[in-house]
Amino acid sequence: GTSENEFAAYDYIANNIRTNAPAHIYNASWQIPSTTNMNAATVIYDNNGSPKTYATAQQALYNISSENFITSIRNAAIDNDAIFVWAAGNEMQNESGALAAMPLAFPDLSGHFINVVALNNNNNIAWFSNQCGITQNYCIAAPGSDWNVAPGRKVDGTSFATPVVSGAIAVIKEAFPYMNATQITQLLFVTATDLGETGIDSVYGWGLLNLERATKPVGTPRIVLSNENIRPLSVSTMTGSAAPAIQKANIKMAFFDDFGRAFSTNLSDHIKVLPYGRGFDKLRETENNSFDLFNGFEIGFSQ
């Protein structure tokens, strides 16, 4: 619509975002044209492609939306521990839309924002998608091409990649309700499948969303021995008689990952009975290879 309608929409959202059924996840599949930086002087391009320069990034965002709108988002993030998942935009630019860059202007939104770029069917950046650009440290990629929305009708857009990430957050929030926004966003970042240049880059950010990986333990497993004694799991050696006995007991144990998430596992699945050595086995291949020395002791050699 017109810019006047956009400002009316901002005010409507601002007035309802926290008071009318506050949410944990806000999916924003809409954008304002891209920004070239979010430093002291901020340049934002309008709908006609003309650059406008603002003294500060905060002033730029206030001018292209409204102060009421930005304040409402910040309050929802802090008061509600909400996560905003923002579409990068479809202008084929090296930078995402300006609204996705809010955390760069307002650091208190860090941990409450994910910017989403779209991939094609080959897991490359889609031809229409903006890139992560300066939002790369909180940007992630998701499928955004050839979505079937009706018989014979397929659509593309970062607007279709963004709800994939929002849905993933909902799954994590349901499975681990004690995780806060910062933990959830960081979990999705560190479990993403790296794309493009090694590590975080300006095209794909952290890489492709990997929900399966995010639902599994991350980092070093730890067990709680007492209130003040939490130890990382490590390999232990036990006698040959004890290991098979523990395997048969089918014992379950609980442990925690780096994000403090609780998981359980069968202890027997992690017990490995090592062979005694080649010499020991060699002596038992045939009776002819076995020999006795020293009053019945059997002698063999390993390595």
Side-chain angles (χ1 to χ4, degrees):
T2 65
S3 58
E4 289 78 10
N5 289 337
E6 287 181 359
F7 281 104
Y10 297 145
D11 287 335
Y12 178 83
I13 294 169
N15 293 329
N16 287 274
I17 199 168
R18 294 172 60 237
T19 58
N20 186 16
H24 291 114
I25 307 161
Y26 291 89
N27 187 93
S29 290
W30 52 288
Q31 260 303 352
I32 286 175
S34 61
T35 173
T36 55
N37 68 64
M38 275 285 171
N39 298 319
T42 298
V43 178
I44 293 180
Y45 292 85
D46 63 19
N47 291 324
N48 297 320
S50 301
K52 292 184 178 181
T53 302
Y54 300 90
T56 67
Q58 294 183 2
Q59 193 60 46
L61 289 169
Y62 287 149
N63 276 273
I64 62 175
S65 58
S66 73
E67 186 170 350
N68 186 31
F69 173 71
I70 300 294
T71 300
S72 183
I73 286 181
R74 294 172 67 191
N75 289 340
I78 303 305
D79 297 345
N80 252 5
D81 198 39
I83 299 174
F84 290 85
V85 189
W86 224 281
N90 305 321
E91 288 79 39
M92 300 175 285
Q93 300 296 314
N94 294 333
E95 295 290 346
S96 297
L99 292 178
M102 272 190 260
L104 300 177
F106 302 96
D108 54 1
L109 290 175
S110 177
H112 297 272
F113 247 74
I114 298 181
N115 186 28
V116 184
V117 299
L119 301 178
N120 62 22
N121 296 330
N122 295 319
N123 283 344
N124 295 315
I125 193 77
W127 65 269
F128 53 83
S129 178
N130 290 340
Q131 299 177 14
C132 293
I134 57 176
T135 73
Q136 62 184 34
N137 288 327
Y138 58 92
C139 187
I140 204 167
S145 299
D146 293 336
W147 282 93
N148 291 300
V149 295
R153 184 187 175 200
K154 292 184 177 183
V155 293
D156 303 317
T158 53
S159 289
F160 296 92
T162 304
V164 176
V165 178
S166 295
I169 296 172
V171 170
I172 298 298
K173 188 71 176 175
E174 182 181 49
F176 310 101
Y178 44 81
M179 294 185 73
N180 61 35
T182 300
Q183 291 173 320
I184 293 174
T185 54
Q186 189 63 24
L187 172 67
L188 294 187
F189 295 151
V190 301
T191 57
T193 302
D194 193 23
L195 297 175
E197 297 180 8
T198 302
I200 305 170
D201 65 77
S202 62
V203 178
Y204 302 99
W206 288 82
L208 171 62
L209 172 76
N210 190 330
L211 180 57
E212 179 183 13
R213 194 170 164 191
T215 60
K216 294 180 179 180
V218 175
T220 303
R222 295 175 175 85
I223 58 172
V224 179
L225 301 179
S226 66
N227 288 339
E228 298 180 356
N229 192 0
I230 301 176
R231 297 287 184 88
L233 287 179
S234 58
V235 177
S236 297
T237 302
M238 63 184 67
T239 63
S241 59
I246 294 176
Q247 279 184 315
K248 291 179 182 178
N250 194 30
I251 298 173
K252 285 190 175 182
M253 63 176 293
F255 65 93
F256 299 88
D257 72 350
D258 283 358
F259 286 88
R261 298 182 297 168
F263 294 88
S264 65
T265 185
N266 286 322
L267 188 59
S268 59
D269 294 340
H270 304 278
I271 294 176
K272 182 179 180 181
V273 179
L274 298 175
Y276 295 101
R278 282 181 289 179
F280 190 90
D281 293 334
K282 181 69 176 175
L283 288 170
R284 282 155 182 77
E285 287 181 357
T286 66
E287 299 230 349
N288 292 334
N289 288 334
S290 184
F291 55 94
D292 295 328
L293 291 175
F294 303 120
N295 296 323
F297 282 100
E298 191 173 49
I299 306 299
F301 300 92
S302 178
Q303 302 296 331

